[in-house]
Amino acid sequence: MQSIQRITPCLWFDRQAEEAAGFYTGIFRNSKILNISYYGEAGQDVHGQAPGIVMTVAFELDGYKFTALNGGPHFKFNEAISFQINCDDQEEVDFYWEKLGEGGDEKARQCGWLKDKYGVSWQVVPVVLMEMLNDSDKQKSQKVMKAMLQMKKIDIAELHRAAVAE
């Protein structure tokens, strides 16, 4: 019996929902577009969208369901909400950093955070970073924190060097 995902993030776009869903599903494994719905004439006085325009796109990223909504220009993404990608190694960090950062805001990159070309914030984080920050040796964890704060994309080798530096 398949379990139901109780909470589904809904991402509000102006008119790029279908494009964005295609972009994301092209990056993450085990991902696909599930359904596309369109605005009709009903409620046009409220939503202001022309009949036939994409309303929502249901999609999965690595098995997690999302909804993309074409809601108009009223709301914009900000860093108060982000999606964290836990990466096993530097190769994964590099892959997601490059793919999600393509066309995104170069100035919005710090400590593993980036904004994609749609303004959605992502945290591309190697799993080892959290292990190092939670090390029982507080001096080591502080050295790792100091090194991380100087980075845009997280560099695992540099974190290891910082942890053992005198």
Side-chain angles (χ1 to χ4, degrees):
M1 183 174 191
Q2 188 178 17
S3 66
I4 295 173
Q5 180 177 311
R6 278 197 186 288
I7 299 169
T8 302
C10 180
L11 305 175
W12 181 299
F13 296 89
D14 182 358
R15 289 195 166 208
Q16 310 92 341
E18 187 173 15
E19 177 187 318
F23 176 70
Y24 300 138
T25 58
I27 294 173
F28 291 89
R29 292 182 309 254
N30 190 27
S31 300
K32 60 187 171 190
I33 303 288
L34 300 170
N35 186 47
I36 299 175
S37 64
Y38 301 87
Y39 283 103
E41 291 187 25
Q44 196 172 9
D45 57 323
V46 176
H47 57 69
Q49 301 290 347
I53 297 289
V54 170
M55 181 172 63
T56 62
V57 180
F59 63 103
E60 280 185 10
L61 296 181
D62 203 15
Y64 291 94
K65 292 180 179 162
F66 289 79
T67 300
L69 166 71
N70 279 334
H74 314 294
F75 302 110
K76 302 289 180 207
F77 295 111
N78 68 48
E79 295 81 357
I81 297 289
S82 63
F83 295 103
Q84 185 172 320
I85 306 165
N86 297 307
C87 300
D88 291 328
D89 53 33
Q90 191 67 49
E91 186 178 351
E92 276 193 353
V93 169
D94 295 346
F95 174 81
Y96 289 115
W97 188 265
E98 179 185 322
K99 294 295 185 183
L100 289 167
E102 186 178 301
D105 184 353
E106 293 281 336
K107 294 180 212 146
R109 296 180 179 195
Q110 184 66 38
C111 305
W113 290 62
L114 64 82
K115 274 190 179 185
D116 68 26
K117 62 185 173 183
Y118 303 103
V120 176
S121 292
W122 298 85
Q123 296 177 58
V124 183
V125 182
V127 173
V128 71
L129 172 62
M130 293 314 296
E131 293 168 4
M132 295 173 88
L133 290 174
N134 290 313
D135 193 296
S136 60
D137 181 336
K138 295 303 173 198
Q139 263 192 322
K140 245 187 201 180
S141 68
Q142 289 301 298
K143 289 177 188 177
V144 169
M145 174 64 93
K146 185 176 180 182
M148 187 224 24
L149 290 172
Q150 303 305 310
M151 297 176 185
K152 291 185 185 247
K153 177 178 72 174
I154 303 299
D155 180 329
I156 296 171
E158 187 58 37
L159 294 177
H160 283 295
R161 280 191 287 280
V164 297
E166 292 300 320

